[in-house]
């Protein structure tokens, strides 16, 4: 039984997979298994996965016949994992050499249910920005609720927003299985996963060292159009509603729905004005109006005035509240060169 199972969903990752794989193989901590889940990738990724498995017996590969998305790929990895602890790594990212050793020792020495580290954001131009959302230390149940769970539930607007990335933590496999925690859906699936995990965890050990390198690809920066975003967001909210009810999270953030819906609304606006959206300008403006007229969005706009946003998002929020959709459209036309 390995100490750590590293789970990597693989889809269209041929350009980055060597970097990802090498960062695991070069870890100073050697008691790991690497689970590569090929999600029916149409490029050369499946063959690369098999090559890596042939080179190192600690690598296991699972090939899907049909693409089912990142959530199902990670769930397959969780079902197959043999390790005592679980780590997630995206196929276009990589670890620093001492990442697993640092997280393992941090958790061992503290006796915590999980360990967390900082992240280095690497931008398309090569510049890097190390960041840590949590201060170094060991958190008990109350501190976990205050510093992690409550911000994920209701603080989704004011900067800095707590990012619900699943890949900067080391998780207890036993806790995941006992609480039956799994990924669900194509949108913010990792945010819901860590929210539920830390509703069950009793302790968390944190280092502010940036041990994970998160590469922002060009398409991530420019934003790719998601055709079915309204349906996807509705599914996300339904799942979040269930988690808030199950773990009694309403009292700490009574306006969490409005905050979350506002965050979704701002994403929906940006999504409609993405460069690769095939709709005409008038169709995009109409879609934005229709999304804003949804009862839950009207309630959020009416009852919560966003504050503390980035300057661009604050401008968008103000225009939405004032129903200045024509001006909003023209600004996005200039910004995205539509």
């Amino acid at each position: 039984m390995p100490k750590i199972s590293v789970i990597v969903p693989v889809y269209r990752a041929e350009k980055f997979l060597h970097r990802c794989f090498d960062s695991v193989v070069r870890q100073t901590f050697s008691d790991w298994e690497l689970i590569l889940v090929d999600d029916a990738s149409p490029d050369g990724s499946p063959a690369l996965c098999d090559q890596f498995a042939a080179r190192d017996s600690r690598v296991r590969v699972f090939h899907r016949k049909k693409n089912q998305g990142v959530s199902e790929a990670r769930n397959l990895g969780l079902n197959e994992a043999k390790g005592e602890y679980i780590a997630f790594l995206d196929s276009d990212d990589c670890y620093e050499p001492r990442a697993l050793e640092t997280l393992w020792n941090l958790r061992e020495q503290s006796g915590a249910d999980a360990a967390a580290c900082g992240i280095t954001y690497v931008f398309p131009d090569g510049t890097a920005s190390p960041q840590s959302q949590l201060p170094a230390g060991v958190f008990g149940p109350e501190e976990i609720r205050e510093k992690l769970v409550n911000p994920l539930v209701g603080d989704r607007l004011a900067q800095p927003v707590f990012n619900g990335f699943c890949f900067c933590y080391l998780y207890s496999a036993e806790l995941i299985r006992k609480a039956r925690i799994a990924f669900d859906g194509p949108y913010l699936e990792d945010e819901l996963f860590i929210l539920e995990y830390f509703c069950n965890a009793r302790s968390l050990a944190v280092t502010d060292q940036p041990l994970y390198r998160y590469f922002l690809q060009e398409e991530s920066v420019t934003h790719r159009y998601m055709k079915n975003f309204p349906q996807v967001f509705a599914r996300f909210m339904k799942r979040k509603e269930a988690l808030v009810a199950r773990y009694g999270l309403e009292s700490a953030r009574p306006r969490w729905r409005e905050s979350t819906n506002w965050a979704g609304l701002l994403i929906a606006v940006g999504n409609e004005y993405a460069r690769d959206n095939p709709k005409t300008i008038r169709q995009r403006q109409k879609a934005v109006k229709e999304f804003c007229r949804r009862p839950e969005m009207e309630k959020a706009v009416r009852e919560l005035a966003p504050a503390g946003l980035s300057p661009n998002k604050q401008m968008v929020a103000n225009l939405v509240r004032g129903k200045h959709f024509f001006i909003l459209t023209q600004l996005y036309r200039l910004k995205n060169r539509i």
Side-chain angles (χ1 to χ4, degrees):
M1 177 185 286
K3 296 294 185 184
I4 298 175
S5 294
V6 180
I7 299 172
V8 180
V10 178
Y11 186 74
R12 294 186 184 275
E14 186 176 5
K15 292 191 297 183
F16 318 108
L17 206 49
H18 272 287
R19 179 178 65 198
C20 174
F21 171 73
D22 289 344
S23 79
V24 178
V25 172
R26 292 171 182 168
Q27 287 296 299
T28 53
F29 183 93
S30 60
D31 195 0
W32 50 260
E33 68 168 350
L34 175 60
I35 298 177
L36 300 172
V37 182
D38 161 36
D39 197 21
S41 186
D43 61 1
S45 298
L48 280 177
C49 290
D50 291 337
Q51 290 176 26
F52 297 153
R55 286 167 51 184
D56 195 312
S57 61
R58 295 171 294 179
V59 180
R60 293 195 289 149
V61 180
F62 297 89
H63 295 288
R64 285 186 177 276
K65 294 182 180 180
K66 181 181 178 182
N67 177 258
Q68 294 180 275
V70 66
S71 285
E72 290 307 313
R74 287 181 180 144
N75 287 339
L76 189 155
L78 285 172
N79 290 336
E80 297 291 342
K82 298 177 181 178
E84 295 179 48
Y85 282 79
I86 304 291
F88 297 104
L89 174 62
D90 282 357
S91 57
D92 54 350
D93 296 334
C94 66
Y95 287 135
E96 299 292 355
R98 301 184 69 88
L100 296 183
E101 178 186 9
T102 303
L103 289 172
W104 178 264
N105 288 341
L106 188 65
R107 188 210 57 76
E108 278 280 281
Q109 292 162 10
S110 64
D113 295 316
C117 66
I119 302 171
T120 297
Y121 293 88
V122 184
F123 296 92
D125 63 2
T127 57
S129 175
Q131 295 182 24
S132 180
Q133 295 190 108
L134 295 168
V138 180
F139 304 156
E142 291 185 4
E143 289 173 303
I144 288 174
R145 283 288 176 110
E146 176 191 346
K147 297 182 182 297
L148 194 155
V149 171
N150 290 341
L152 280 174
V153 171
D155 305 338
R156 311 317 298 150
L157 295 172
Q159 298 293 314
V161 174
F162 191 98
N163 288 318
F165 296 142
C166 69
F167 45 63
C168 52
Y169 300 91
L170 189 63
Y171 306 87
S172 163
E174 181 182 6
L175 190 155
I176 290 172
R177 290 175 184 133
K178 188 175 181 180
R180 298 181 179 180
I181 304 170
F183 290 90
D184 179 76
Y187 174 74
L188 296 180
E189 73 292 333
D190 44 355
E191 183 172 300
L192 295 178
F193 181 90
I194 68 169
L195 175 61
E196 186 165 15
Y197 182 90
F198 285 106
C199 282
N200 288 277
R202 295 165 296 172
S203 54
L204 168 66
V206 180
T207 175
D208 53 10
Q209 297 178 56
L211 303 176
Y212 189 100
R213 294 183 72 81
Y214 178 59
F215 289 83
L216 290 156
Q217 308 303 330
E218 195 65 43
E219 55 267 28
S220 300
V221 176
T222 57
H223 183 68
R224 297 181 66 182
Y225 177 60
M226 187 186 297
K227 182 179 179 180
N228 60 338
F229 179 79
Q231 294 77 22
V232 169
F233 183 74
R235 176 177 174 176
F236 163 77
M237 281 299 291
K238 184 177 180 180
R239 175 88 192 281
K240 190 170 183 178
E241 284 271 5
L243 290 179
V244 169
R246 184 185 310 162
Y247 294 104
L249 306 176
E250 182 98 36
S251 59
R253 294 293 189 273
R255 305 303 295 273
W256 74 266
R257 290 179 190 82
E258 289 74 24
S259 176
T260 306
N261 279 323
W262 252 117
L265 192 157
L266 293 172
I267 293 171
V269 171
N271 183 59
E272 282 301 325
Y273 294 109
R275 290 180 188 174
D276 59 338
N277 183 351
K279 296 177 185 175
T280 67
I281 284 295
R282 288 187 178 182
Q283 288 172 331
R284 299 181 196 213
Q285 185 171 308
K286 181 181 178 183
V288 169
K289 286 182 178 180
E290 288 176 352
F291 194 83
C292 292
R293 287 171 183 156
R294 291 178 170 230
E296 67 275 19
M297 296 302 165
E298 285 189 331
K299 185 175 186 294
V301 171
R302 182 175 62 252
E303 297 184 4
L304 182 64
L309 302 174
S310 65
N312 285 347
K313 286 188 176 181
Q314 191 67 60
M315 182 184 298
V316 172
N318 292 342
L319 290 171
V320 167
R321 293 197 84 210
K323 299 182 180 180
H324 301 301
F325 296 108
F326 177 78
I327 298 174
L328 181 67
T329 300
Q330 299 313 309
L331 288 175
Y332 265 102
R333 286 187 74 177
L334 291 171
K335 175 179 179 291
N336 293 343
R337 299 178 182 178
I338 302 171

